[in-house]
Amino acid sequence: MKAQSIDELIYILKTSTHNDTRRQAAESLVHIGKGNETAILALVNLLETTTDCYPRSAAAESLGQIDQGNETAILALVNLLEPTTDFYTRSQATESLGKIGQGNETAILALVNLLEPTTDFYIRRQAVENLGKIGQGNETAILALVNLLEPTTDFDTRRQAAASLGQIGQGNETAISALVNLLEPTTDEDNCIQAAESLNEIDPGNKTAISALVNLLENSTDEKTRIQAAESLGEIDPGNKTAISALVNVLENATKKWILTAAAESLGKIGQGNKTAISLLVNLLENSTHEETRIQAAESLNKLDPGNKTVIYALVNLLENATDCYTHRQAVENLGKIGQGNKTAISLLVNLLETTTQHGTFRQAAESLVQIGQGKKTAISALVNLLETTTDEDTCRQAAASLGEIGQGNETAISALVKLLETTTDEWTLRQAAESLGKIGQGNKTAISAVVNLLETTTDEDTCRQAAASLGEIGPGNKTAISALVNLLKITTDEFTRRQAAESLGKIGPGNKTAISALVKVLETTPDTITRIRVAESLGKIATGNEITIKKLIEFLDGSSALVSIAETLEKIAFPGNSTAIEGLRELLHKSSSSYTSPVKVMEKQAKTLDIPILGLVWSHKRSHFRLLKFSNIRN
């Protein structure tokens, strides 16, 4: 089947006169033609036979994904780098070489040639970036990038060249020396930072790089540069005393929020075991007036000194006094990481569930309770209690939503949600309770019964659809759920609801004759194409081997508005050698051949070549081209 599909796409590439169709075929080949030499040659041929930039660029993109290191694909892409090629195709070829040309001399040299100043600025920068992906250890690539570090090169290209050297110049003395030179006293602070970062990649712990970053951190007058330097020091050498000392100095003397936050974050990465760093972070957590900085200090302390009780109580204090929802959520999240078993933290989170009006904070508090409350029991108990005591519908919905996330299979949670369905009259709350039961009540008869009751009593279509969707998650094989969904198919006049009922039956009714019969009935009666498609998909899941369904699907193929989906369903449910399917498809093929002579003849010829009996064709017009489905799995 895969080989046939590839052949079909190649046929479209060769024969279609519609550029959009050819572009789509080229894109599709990537998914099924990886490593296929015939597919690669077809894409190359497309590049040679069309001048339109859209199918050409699509072919170039596909060649970049179809086979790593393939010489044919690489040579075709290299040819596209000629200045006469349109910009879009040339740009895409550059990107694609960066994906499949790893270590390939031809690809590397082609990208190096693009570094000439006469090349388009954007493509030149692309070439620099992609050399960083494929030129690992290649002297030609490294020297070319080193040359771009000269002051005469534009700022963006110099920065990208430094970054690419960090990817391909490991241990290379020429690259190391060039990057070190870039660290000399300069007004170009951004490039200095990039050079230092790249040096760390190819020469970890390079003292010149660390010294340059420390110098920027201590002496730059630009706040953004100082923040970048602080962040870079956090990546460059864990445990490095010079870097730690510089960051500690920031915590002792700086007053601005973001430089303090950056220094605190970096210390959390490289300051393991450093008592001074830990002491200063504790001080920052307790005394900073910047809430974001305090949160970062807490996160860093959790890395450097796990279980530090000062952190827990500082976060509790922060929660009690924070004024914005972001700080609330971050503090709650951090408590979930470090407050295991701490009664004060647990009590605070429970209280937060009862008082917060912020949805995000509520959900995070529930999650953190699960983490620190010795399992889900504490959190579920708090949420259930909240459902039973609150009169606020918004709080009810939040609690119900959280129970749907953490209450899997928990009888207490399920009972509370069932009770909520029975007591609330708010449609939004009803839908949320039904949705949560759909997540946690799999196979639970009480939950299924409650959702069925909601389905049968509500007059709100949105609630009805949610109930139907939930039954599709929790009622596999349950006759009560199947019966309710079948009834919904019969009585609803809303196509969206009918589609949901059909989809849910496809999940819970395998082999159920009542469900299958109801779905077939919808195929016969609904004029809505999308509904027919959804119904056909569900039948494909539950009606395997059902002779009545197979016969009906054969009938629907002749003139149906959902040909493709019905055909696919037939292919799924008809066992190989099924005589009903074979005869019906043959008859359809015979009846249709006069109207669609060209596609039929093409497929018949291909079938004979591959010695595969074709039993049916389905096609639909789209953008002036046809789509073909073959039923070659059904054998005589």
Side-chain angles (χ1 to χ4, degrees):
M1 288 292 286
K2 182 176 178 181
Q4 293 165 8
S5 299
I6 291 172
D7 288 341
E8 287 169 15
L9 290 170
I10 290 173
Y11 177 81
I12 293 172
L13 281 180
K14 290 179 178 178
T15 60
S16 177
T17 57
H18 300 282
N19 284 325
D20 193 40
T21 302
R22 299 175 84 184
R23 178 182 61 78
Q24 289 179 347
E27 292 172 352
S28 296
L29 268 178
V30 172
H31 302 294
I32 62 173
K34 287 188 181 297
N36 185 289
E37 198 64 37
T38 306
I40 293 168
L41 289 173
L43 290 169
V44 172
N45 182 64
L46 177 60
L47 291 174
E48 295 171 349
T49 56
T50 183
T51 57
D52 188 277
C53 67
Y54 293 109
R56 276 168 67 84
S57 61
E61 182 177 4
S62 294
L63 283 172
Q65 301 173 55
I66 203 164
D67 191 17
Q68 174 73 34
N70 186 282
E71 288 288 344
T72 304
I74 289 171
L75 286 173
L77 291 169
V78 167
N79 288 335
L80 291 178
L81 299 182
E82 294 297 322
T84 53
T85 306
D86 68 272
F87 171 81
Y88 294 106
T89 306
R90 202 177 183 208
S91 173
Q92 184 57 65
T94 306
E95 286 293 315
S96 291
L97 281 173
K99 295 176 181 176
I100 68 168
Q102 182 70 39
N104 185 283
E105 285 289 339
T106 304
I108 291 169
L109 287 173
L111 292 178
V112 167
N113 288 336
L114 288 180
L115 302 184
E116 294 297 323
T118 54
T119 305
D120 176 272
F121 167 76
Y122 179 77
I123 290 178
R124 189 186 190 203
R125 197 169 65 199
Q126 271 188 305
V128 173
E129 181 180 352
N130 284 289
L131 275 173
K133 297 175 182 177
I134 69 172
Q136 183 71 37
N138 186 282
E139 286 290 341
T140 303
I142 290 170
L143 286 173
L145 292 172
V146 165
N147 288 335
L148 290 178
L149 298 181
E150 295 296 323
T152 53
T153 308
D154 67 90
F155 170 82
D156 287 328
T157 304
R158 285 183 85 197
R159 186 173 176 81
Q160 184 58 60
S164 291
L165 278 173
Q167 294 174 287
I168 69 172
Q170 282 83 352
N172 186 284
E173 289 299 327
T174 303
I176 293 170
S177 177
L179 289 169
V180 166
N181 288 337
L182 207 57
L183 297 176
E184 295 299 320
T186 176
T187 56
D188 190 352
E189 293 180 337
D190 284 334
N191 271 335
C192 185
I193 287 175
Q194 180 59 67
E197 290 177 354
S198 293
L199 264 175
N200 184 57
E201 294 296 325
I202 65 176
D203 187 24
N206 185 285
K207 293 181 180 180
T208 306
I210 294 171
S211 177
L213 288 172
V214 169
N215 179 61
L216 286 174
L217 182 62
E218 293 176 345
N219 299 310
S220 176
T221 57
D222 182 77
E223 190 70 9
K224 179 183 173 184
T225 299
R226 295 187 72 208
I227 291 169
Q228 285 182 305
E231 291 172 350
S232 294
L233 283 172
E235 305 292 337
I236 205 162
D237 189 21
N240 186 282
K241 292 182 180 180
T242 303
I244 293 171
S245 176
L247 292 168
V248 163
N249 186 57
V250 170
L251 293 190
E252 289 176 330
N253 298 296
T255 57
K256 293 187 177 180
K257 174 170 66 176
W258 295 117
I259 185 62
L260 282 168
T261 304
E265 182 178 6
S266 288
L267 277 173
K269 296 176 180 178
I270 69 172
Q272 290 84 351
N274 189 289
K275 293 182 179 179
T276 304
I278 293 171
S279 175
L280 285 169
L281 286 169
V282 167
N283 180 64
L284 194 65
L285 178 60
E286 292 178 330
N287 299 308
S288 175
T289 57
H290 308 300
E291 292 179 346
E292 294 91 342
T293 304
R294 294 177 72 187
I295 289 293
Q296 184 56 65
E299 291 183 4
S300 292
L301 278 169
N302 188 41
K303 295 175 183 177
L304 301 181
D305 191 19
N308 188 312
K309 290 185 178 181
T310 303
V311 181
I312 295 174
Y313 292 116
L315 285 171
V316 168
N317 178 262
L318 185 57
L319 265 177
E320 291 173 340
N321 297 287
T323 56
D324 71 279
C325 60
Y326 173 78
T327 303
H328 260 116
R329 283 198 296 274
Q330 291 296 106
V332 169
E333 183 180 353
N334 277 285
L335 273 178
K337 296 175 182 176
I338 65 175
Q340 186 68 37
N342 186 283
K343 292 181 180 180
T344 303
I346 292 170
S347 175
L348 182 67
L349 290 173
V350 170
N351 181 64
L352 197 59
L353 287 176
E354 298 170 350
T355 57
T356 185
T357 58
Q358 296 293 330
H359 292 206
T361 302
F362 188 99
R363 285 194 297 273
Q364 188 59 64
E367 290 176 16
S368 291
L369 260 180
V370 172
Q371 292 173 296
I372 71 172
Q374 297 168 332
K376 298 178 181 180
K377 192 174 180 180
T378 302
I380 290 173
S381 177
L383 290 166
V384 168
N385 181 64
L386 195 57
L387 277 180
E388 293 173 346
T389 56
T390 186
T391 57
D392 180 71
E393 289 294 339
D394 194 44
T395 302
C396 264
R397 286 193 291 275
Q398 290 183 64
S402 292
L403 283 174
E405 298 300 325
I406 67 173
Q408 185 68 40
N410 185 282
E411 287 290 339
T412 303
I414 292 170
S415 295
L417 290 169
V418 167
K419 185 177 180 180
L420 185 60
L421 282 182
E422 295 169 347
T423 55
T424 185
T425 57
D426 183 275
E427 292 295 337
W428 290 95
T429 305
L430 284 169
R431 287 197 286 276
Q432 183 58 69
E435 181 182 349
S436 292
L437 280 172
K439 294 179 179 179
I440 69 172
Q442 286 84 350
N444 186 288
K445 291 182 179 180
T446 304
I448 293 170
S449 177
V451 177
V452 166
N453 182 64
L454 177 65
L455 184 66
E456 294 174 342
T457 57
T458 184
T459 57
D460 183 275
E461 287 294 341
D462 289 330
T463 304
C464 190
R465 281 195 291 277
Q466 181 57 66
S470 292
L471 285 176
E473 300 300 328
I474 65 175
N478 186 283
K479 292 182 179 180
T480 304
I482 292 171
S483 177
L485 290 168
V486 167
N487 186 58
L488 183 60
L489 280 179
K490 295 176 182 178
I491 65 174
T492 185
T493 57
D494 184 278
E495 288 299 330
F496 292 101
T497 302
R498 185 174 285 114
R499 292 170 199 163
Q500 183 58 68
E503 184 179 337
S504 291
L505 281 172
K507 294 179 178 179
I508 69 172
N512 186 285
K513 292 181 179 179
T514 304
I516 293 168
S517 177
L519 290 170
V520 170
K521 185 69 174 176
V522 175
L523 271 185
E524 292 177 322
T525 57
T526 182
D528 187 273
T529 300
I530 298 176
T531 300
R532 301 190 83 174
I533 290 171
R534 295 290 178 269
V535 169
E537 289 171 350
S538 289
L539 282 170
K541 297 174 183 176
I542 69 172
T544 302
N546 187 285
E547 285 291 319
I548 296 174
T549 305
I550 292 170
K551 289 178 182 178
K552 286 292 183 181
L553 290 175
I554 292 291
E555 293 174 14
F556 295 143
L557 279 174
D558 192 5
S560 172
S561 60
L563 286 173
V564 173
S565 292
I566 293 173
E568 289 175 341
T569 296
L570 186 59
E571 192 171 13
K572 291 176 183 176
I573 70 173
F575 292 117
N578 185 285
S579 58
T580 305
I582 291 171
E583 293 307 316
L585 288 168
R586 277 180 174 157
E587 183 179 347
L588 178 64
L589 179 60
H590 178 73
K591 287 169 61 178
S592 304
S593 61
S594 60
S595 301
Y596 294 91
T597 302
S598 176
V600 170
K601 285 186 176 180
V602 169
M603 296 299 291
E604 287 177 333
K605 182 179 179 182
Q606 186 181 36
K608 289 177 182 177
T609 302
L610 299 171
D611 194 27
I612 293 172
I614 283 192
L615 305 175
L617 294 173
V618 180
W619 48 89
S620 62
H621 288 287
K622 183 180 179 184
R623 295 177 182 164
S624 302
H625 70 282
F626 58 85
R627 177 183 176 184
L628 298 173
L629 272 77
K630 298 193 290 294
F631 292 85
S632 56
N633 275 347
I634 307 173
R635 302 279 184 159
N636 271 321

